[in-house]
Amino acid sequence: MKVKQTPISQAVFIALLGASGAAMAQQAPATQQLDTVTITGIRASQEKSLSVKRNAEAHIDVISAEDIGKMPDKNVADSLARIPGVTVLNSPAGGSGGFDERDRVGLRGTNPSLTQTLVDGHGIANGDWFVLDQTGAGVGRSVSFSLLPSELVSRVEVRKSSEASLVEGGTAGSVNIILRRPLDFAKTLTAELGVGAVYADLPKKTDPQLNALLNFRNEARTFGVMVQAFSEQRSLRRDGVEALGYINKLDATTAPALVAARPDLNGVFTPDLIGSALFTQERERKGGLIRAQLKPNANFDLVLTAFSSEMEADNYNRNYLMAPRGGLLNTATISDYEVKTDGNGNKTLTKATFNWGTPSTAGYYDMISRKASAETGFVSLDSRLKVNDSLTFTANAGTSRGKGKTLSQDVVELAIVTSRASYSLNGTDTAPSFSFTNPTTRADWIFGAQNVVVHDKESWAQIDGEYELDAGMLKTLKFGARGAQHKRYTDPIVAQGPGCATGTPYRVTAFDWSKPSACADAAGNDAPQNSFYTLPAFGGSYPSNFGSGLGSGFPTNIPFITAEALADYNRRVTNRDPIARRWAEQEYSVKENTSAAYVQGALEGNGWSGNVGLRAVRTKQSSSSFRASLAGETPTITGSAFGNYTVTASDMTYTDWLPSASLRIDVRSDIVARLAVNRTVTRADYTALSGYTALNNTGMFLDNNVVGGGTAGNPTLKPVRSTNFDANIEWYFAPRAFVSAGAFVMDMSSYITDGTFRANYPTLLTNTNQVGGNPQLVNRDFLVTGPVNKKARVKGVEFAFETPIAANFGVMANYTYADGEDQDGGVLRGNVESSFTVGGFFENDRLSARVNYSHTDDIFVGNDRGTQYFQKGTGVLSASLGYKFSDNFSVSLDGQNLNDPKLKYYASEVQPRAIYKNGRQYYLTARVKF
């Protein structure tokens, strides 16, 4: 028969705020007979997590608050990295590279957009701080965990199979973050305070960390209020050497003189840019949670919650770049060069030396300082009403808002002039080397998007009912309905360019490169001092140990303009006019209205239980972006130096029927087997639906049928629909111990990947050989590069093991294998074949220690700058040491990235993309509670 839950597994478990050390957690009573259950330490948290896992009807993994607190987990993603089948990325997309804090979560070798993140069962809006993640091609439906501190959490449930009663949206599964409730605390008044500091060894800086909690409940447990607050600062430094894409091919068009002299270079790719990149950032994450709970009797419960988290993320990126592009190389003579062919058949110039007869531009030096931030928050109201012994209703309504902002980018680009330059790509494990001989620099250009503000909003309301039937095998019947609206859109974006000092006129209407500057003084004389050509003095330089451990032979002792001087310079000599510099190519909007209803029955027999259900979901979707206006049209946006823009809009409505069934078999008292099959759906990523449309009608005429080309978003994309199979067996062979093995398959009938699709667009055409006359505006077919639907499959296995050793020790391990590819054999974004975690702990009444090592194989992150972008396999070592002086005071020392991992990225085995180093982080925290 079905295994019943114990009081411990039924209770809501509460852990100490920020409990990354040996602090004790509290658990509220589950029944009137159980007044107080106090859970302490790692061993108790294992019992708690395994109890929830063992008694669950579905295949889930659980991390309790004590689990989170026993590792240096500064956000929830760090904790989830220890669960089998979970892949954690250091960045959401290829453009930003990798940082020291985990940011995105994917399940079973899939794109993080296919994993749904919930808080107490509802969605949460997202915000990203990095500009390329705000508007780029990788903007998806995943949530940035950098905004979710682990101190807020009671437990995290990772569901790897879906049910009709769950909110749709997670093809691979869902992550549900469950918060604490005021009436769950054992004492009427609880106060907890965590004060500490974090030391980052690469920037060599120490920053404060503060977390606090105050909870009140009355003696009768009918009313309670909980307030949490956090303020956490961190300094980041990332050293890197980057190769920014391989989009340049040497041929008779791009480098005619060079190819004529060296015919063997025809058709060979070169790196677009190779640079020594220093990234620094000051992060401050602050916010809080307020929660009020009213429970006048056992039949009614009401919870009002407000949460806010904001991260200031100002950053400064300096990149000293060589530019071995065809146009720059064409006037050079080449020697000591090498060409290698990768497994895809692409030839790459992996080594070369270039000489110019006169000093020429051979590279660029970009300095980009950004005012950036991200935020998220929600307000929700939850209620529960038990009508009678058989019927219970729950309801939830709320709204969530997120923002990602890059309000300004202060930028200058210098040209690097030299008569000799060389580079060598050194494979994917070591940084490329490159050098210039006696280089000089001069101001070349100013660029950078301003006022980048991306809004993410969701509002929802749902009601669920549960009726106990006890009619043979059918024990309960669940039913419910939900409505939601989601919006993702940008504010108008400005692309700055060079200007003249405030109050001074332009010398010419456009930049005249034959003159010293395009600016004049009050008398109309040429005034370079009023233009961007007059640079601030360098005020800093790369650290003396820049790039240590990454390789050798790349520039290191590089001066830079300070962020403050760069900001003042940009304020004086840039054009940020909101009309003339409006740049709609990165603007987009998506709106979705969804309505859903479901019914689900819980079944039970002798030694088995399960459920079967059906969810129906209707989605009404509207998406819009822009394209260049055509003559004869009425533009949507006028007056921009980049041309007029016309909005493109598309509406689509579709309905999904999502059946689900799961079976749990109690093979014997200590062995549980699970089987599940379900249909899932995940809606398309936002910029996949609404990317900018850029068309090429070369060769098209009114009197022929030539198909054009171009790039665009695809508003007709189907959502990712998948039929999932899951099987798992678990053996709980001792207290706090288990071993499990499982297999899974995801058959996706409409996976979204890059490709080409045929679509109809308006264009201006003339007849062949037409002389004079106006072109006609007609609709014609174009074969467009962009996101498309394909069939895909992911299949794999999972293993997990956990056991105590003697009284005070314990070990754990897990392994996941996931093989994913689309119908053409292409690798899936987010796919990682093998990953594993091993760990151990020691704990007694005073001292606790824990160490974990997690490793993932290569991950396909996505496409960036015209090439595929993979993260090479890497491992991360973390450890925690805590000492409890009393029930009210404890201290912990936590270390993260202790093995000083190098994050390595590549396009192919001969085309490295980047290698980064973020250093180690150490957290010292003192905790007081009373």
Side-chain angles (χ1 to χ4, degrees):
M1 65 182 297
K2 181 179 178 180
V3 176
K4 301 297 183 182
Q5 292 188 352
T6 66
I8 289 177
S9 68
Q10 293 171 331
V12 179
F13 295 92
I14 308 302
L16 198 63
L17 177 70
S20 59
M24 301 170 64
Q26 297 176 330
Q27 178 195 356
T31 67
Q32 292 295 324
Q33 290 75 28
L34 182 61
D35 292 332
T36 305
V37 176
T38 302
I39 299 296
T40 64
I42 300 172
R43 292 164 294 177
S45 71
Q46 289 178 326
E47 181 181 353
K48 175 169 45 176
S49 297
L50 291 185
S51 179
V52 175
K53 176 180 176 69
R54 180 174 184 172
N55 290 290
E57 292 293 344
H59 184 189
I60 69 172
D61 287 285
V62 181
I63 296 180
S64 73
E66 189 73 10
D67 283 326
I68 294 169
K70 287 299 178 183
M71 286 297 290
D73 297 329
K74 295 297 126 179
N75 72 49
V76 178
D78 292 325
S79 307
L80 295 174
R82 302 195 299 275
I83 288 180
V86 173
T87 302
V88 180
L89 299 181
N90 296 73
S91 64
S96 59
F99 298 98
D100 59 0
E101 188 176 22
R102 316 318 172 229
D103 189 83
R104 288 304 201 274
V105 171
L107 293 178
R108 291 177 163 174
T110 61
N111 180 355
S113 287
L114 302 183
T115 296
Q116 187 176 45
T117 299
L118 307 170
V119 177
D120 283 334
H122 63 73
I124 183 168
N126 184 52
D128 283 302
W129 61 264
F130 190 72
V131 64
L132 296 181
D133 301 328
Q134 293 164 349
T135 62
V139 176
R141 295 180 181 270
S142 58
V143 169
S144 173
F145 281 75
S146 63
L147 291 170
L148 303 176
S150 61
E151 289 83 0
L152 300 172
V153 177
S154 171
R155 70 176 186 268
V156 182
E157 296 181 351
V158 178
R159 289 183 171 266
K160 299 175 181 177
S161 61
S162 187
E163 297 179 1
S165 59
L166 301 177
V167 178
E168 75 285 345
T171 292
S174 64
V175 175
N176 189 19
I177 301 168
I178 299 174
L179 307 178
R180 296 180 275 192
R181 292 190 171 199
L183 298 186
D184 294 333
F185 284 75
K187 298 179 180 179
T188 56
L189 183 64
T190 301
E192 301 175 357
L193 178 66
V195 179
V198 54
Y199 173 75
D201 73 345
L202 201 55
K204 299 187 184 304
K205 290 185 178 181
T206 302
D207 295 294
Q209 307 263 297
L210 176 67
N211 293 275
L213 176 147
L214 182 65
N215 188 83
F216 166 79
R217 67 162 180 82
N218 61 8
E219 290 282 358
R221 291 186 184 272
T222 59
F223 177 74
V225 177
M226 180 180 68
V227 178
Q228 290 184 258
F230 54 90
S231 177
E232 302 168 338
Q233 298 179 34
R234 288 206 306 124
S235 298
L236 284 79
R237 173 184 145 194
R238 187 185 71 182
D239 295 358
V241 182
E242 302 174 330
L244 300 179
Y246 294 84
I247 58 175
N248 303 298
K249 183 185 287 189
L250 302 176
D251 57 31
T253 300
T254 61
L258 182 64
V259 169
R262 302 285 186 176
D264 57 321
L265 294 180
N266 187 39
V268 173
F269 288 93
T270 66
D272 187 47
L273 295 162
I274 308 171
S276 293
L278 172 65
F279 178 95
T280 54
Q281 184 179 48
E282 300 295 327
R283 290 188 186 182
E284 182 179 7
R285 183 170 60 192
K286 56 188 177 182
L289 173 75
I290 300 176
R291 198 159 223 203
Q293 186 176 6
L294 177 66
K295 191 176 182 180
N297 54 59
N299 298 323
F300 180 72
D301 195 358
L302 190 68
V303 180
L304 177 64
T305 308
F307 167 70
S308 176
S309 178
E310 181 178 358
M311 186 166 68
E312 298 294 331
D314 293 352
N315 58 88
Y316 191 4
N317 194 47
R318 288 132 287 193
N319 209 346
Y320 191 80
L321 298 149
M322 174 181 249
R325 299 166 174 170
L328 297 179
L329 303 182
N330 189 50
T331 57
T333 58
I334 185 172
S335 62
D336 190 25
Y337 66 92
E338 184 178 66
V339 175
K340 291 185 178 180
T341 304
D342 63 25
N344 299 317
N346 295 319
K347 295 181 178 180
T348 303
L349 185 65
T350 59
K351 179 183 178 183
T353 297
F354 303 97
N355 287 275
W356 289 268
T358 58
S360 302
T361 297
Y364 303 95
Y365 182 17
D366 292 344
M367 288 170 268
I368 308 173
S369 177
R370 304 180 179 96
K371 293 292 183 183
S373 65
E375 61 188 72
T376 187
F378 67 85
V379 177
S380 67
L381 183 65
D382 298 85
S383 64
R384 174 184 173 274
L385 175 63
K386 186 175 182 180
V387 179
N388 52 47
D389 290 342
S390 300
L391 182 61
T392 301
F393 285 102
T394 59
N396 175 266
T399 184
S400 181
R401 297 193 175 199
K403 280 185 184 179
K405 296 188 288 186
T406 301
L407 296 181
S408 67
Q409 295 190 90
D410 297 315
V411 181
V412 66
E413 182 175 81
L414 310 184
I416 301 173
V417 179
T418 185
S419 58
R420 181 182 174 90
S422 63
Y423 76 85
S424 176
L425 304 179
N426 301 317
T428 59
D429 288 314
T430 302
S433 53
F434 67 101
S435 64
F436 304 97
T437 299
N438 299 321
T440 60
T441 59
R442 59 172 173 79
D444 185 71
W445 196 245
I446 289 177
F447 60 89
Q450 315 292 308
N451 193 48
V452 180
V453 181
V454 181
H455 302 264
D456 194 38
K457 300 179 180 180
E458 180 166 302
S459 299
W460 69 90
Q462 71 179 66
I463 185 168
D464 300 271
E466 184 172 2
Y467 187 73
E468 295 187 10
L469 294 170
D470 204 15
M473 291 189 302
L474 183 60
K475 299 301 181 182
T476 63
L477 189 67
K478 289 183 178 180
F479 52 92
R482 185 178 192 270
Q485 183 183 84
H486 197 110
K487 297 179 181 179
R488 177 73 71 96
Y489 60 94
T490 60
D491 284 348
I493 296 174
V494 172
Q496 73 174 1
C500 296
T502 304
T504 59
Y506 281 99
R507 180 180 176 87
V508 290
T509 56
F511 276 92
D512 182 348
W513 299 104
S514 67
K515 299 184 180 300
S517 79
C519 301
D521 61 18
N525 300 312
D526 189 72
Q529 70 274 14
N530 292 332
S531 79
F532 81 101
Y533 291 110
T534 303
L535 292 167
F538 291 125
S541 64
Y542 281 30
S544 59
N545 65 340
F546 171 81
S548 175
L550 300 181
S552 62
F554 47 83
T556 56
N557 187 23
I558 305 167
F560 58 80
I561 300 168
T562 66
E564 296 76 14
L566 188 60
D568 179 68
Y569 168 75
N570 270 227
R571 278 192 294 268
R572 290 187 297 106
V573 296
T574 59
N575 182 357
R576 295 176 174 177
D577 186 280
I579 296 176
R581 302 298 299 183
R582 174 80 177 269
W583 191 45
E585 295 183 21
Q586 295 294 310
E587 298 175 22
Y588 64 91
S589 175
V590 177
K591 177 182 176 182
E592 294 166 344
N593 290 304
T594 60
S595 55
Y598 75 91
V599 61
Q600 178 175 306
L603 310 175
E604 185 178 333
N606 185 20
W608 66 272
S609 60
N611 64 68
V612 61
L614 178 65
R615 186 178 188 90
V617 186
R618 183 176 183 269
T619 302
K620 184 178 181 181
Q621 190 175 77
S622 300
S623 59
S624 64
S625 59
F626 291 93
R627 60 171 173 81
S629 296
L630 301 173
E633 290 184 320
T634 301
T636 309
I637 298 172
T638 60
S640 172
F642 302 102
N644 294 333
Y645 295 99
T646 297
V647 70
T648 63
S650 179
D651 297 325
M652 185 167 63
T653 300
Y654 52 88
T655 301
D656 287 281
W657 298 88
L658 307 175
S660 65
S662 65
L663 176 65
R664 167 201 162 110
I665 302 172
D666 298 319
V667 180
R668 64 187 197 195
S669 61
D670 58 348
I671 297 179
V672 178
R674 307 179 195 275
L675 296 170
V677 59
N678 49 75
R679 180 80 167 165
T680 62
V681 63
T682 300
R683 298 170 186 95
D685 288 350
Y686 303 109
T687 51
L689 293 165
S690 55
Y692 182 77
T693 301
L695 302 176
N696 181 1
N697 63 3
T698 301
M700 299 177 69
F701 296 96
L702 293 171
D703 52 355
N704 69 19
N705 294 316
V706 172
V707 175
T711 60
N714 188 350
T716 64
L717 280 173
K718 300 175 183 177
V720 179
R721 297 184 172 109
S722 180
T723 301
N724 298 346
F725 302 88
D726 186 85
N728 200 65
I729 188 164
E730 303 152 6
W731 176 28
Y732 298 88
F733 57 89
R736 308 193 316 274
F738 83 104
V739 61
S740 68
F744 57 88
V745 176
M746 285 179 276
D747 270 322
M748 291 174 275
S749 60
S750 51
Y751 182 77
I752 297 173
T753 186
D754 295 323
T756 57
F757 61 95
R758 194 168 178 133
N760 196 263
Y761 298 97
T763 187
L764 289 169
L765 297 180
T766 63
N767 285 307
T768 306
N769 301 321
Q770 178 178 325
V771 178
N774 295 320
Q776 296 183 34
L777 183 63
V778 295
N779 289 319
R780 288 282 291 269
D781 279 356
F782 288 77
L783 188 62
V784 175
T785 299
V788 297
N789 291 115
K790 289 184 180 181
K791 292 181 180 180
R793 168 180 272 212
V794 178
K795 58 182 183 295
V797 293
E798 294 174 345
F799 302 95
F801 170 77
E802 188 173 299
T803 186
I805 299 175
N808 302 106
F809 294 88
V811 295
M812 60 79 62
N814 63 62
Y815 172 80
T816 302
Y817 173 82
D819 179 25
E821 60 182 32
D822 64 29
Q823 66 188 47
D824 300 320
V827 65
L828 304 186
R829 184 181 168 201
N831 182 244
V832 52
E833 277 200 352
S834 294
S835 60
F836 69 86
T837 299
V838 293
F841 73 86
F842 167 84
E843 182 182 56
N844 60 26
D845 291 341
R846 295 290 183 186
L847 180 66
S848 66
R850 191 165 186 171
V851 62
N852 271 72
Y853 178 79
S854 297
H855 184 274
T856 59
D857 275 357
D858 296 11
I859 302 171
F860 176 48
V861 180
N863 291 311
D864 175 65
R865 294 177 174 90
T867 60
Q868 291 186 324
Y869 195 73
F870 295 85
Q871 179 176 326
K872 199 163 189 178
T874 188
V876 175
L877 178 67
S878 301
S880 176
L881 181 67
Y883 189 80
K884 183 175 69 174
F885 292 89
S886 69
D887 289 344
N888 303 110
F889 181 68
S890 63
V891 175
S892 65
L893 176 63
D894 306 306
Q896 198 169 35
N897 298 307
L898 292 177
N899 57 327
D900 196 15
K902 311 299 186 297
L903 301 178
K904 304 169 184 177
Y905 299 84
Y906 65 91
S908 73
E909 67 272 24
V910 301
Q911 293 182 343
R913 285 296 314 273
I915 181 169
Y916 299 115
K917 175 182 177 180
N918 291 283
R920 307 173 183 88
Q921 300 78 40
Y922 302 92
Y923 296 83
L924 179 64
T925 308
R927 292 182 179 79
V928 179
K929 74 170 185 175
F930 51 88

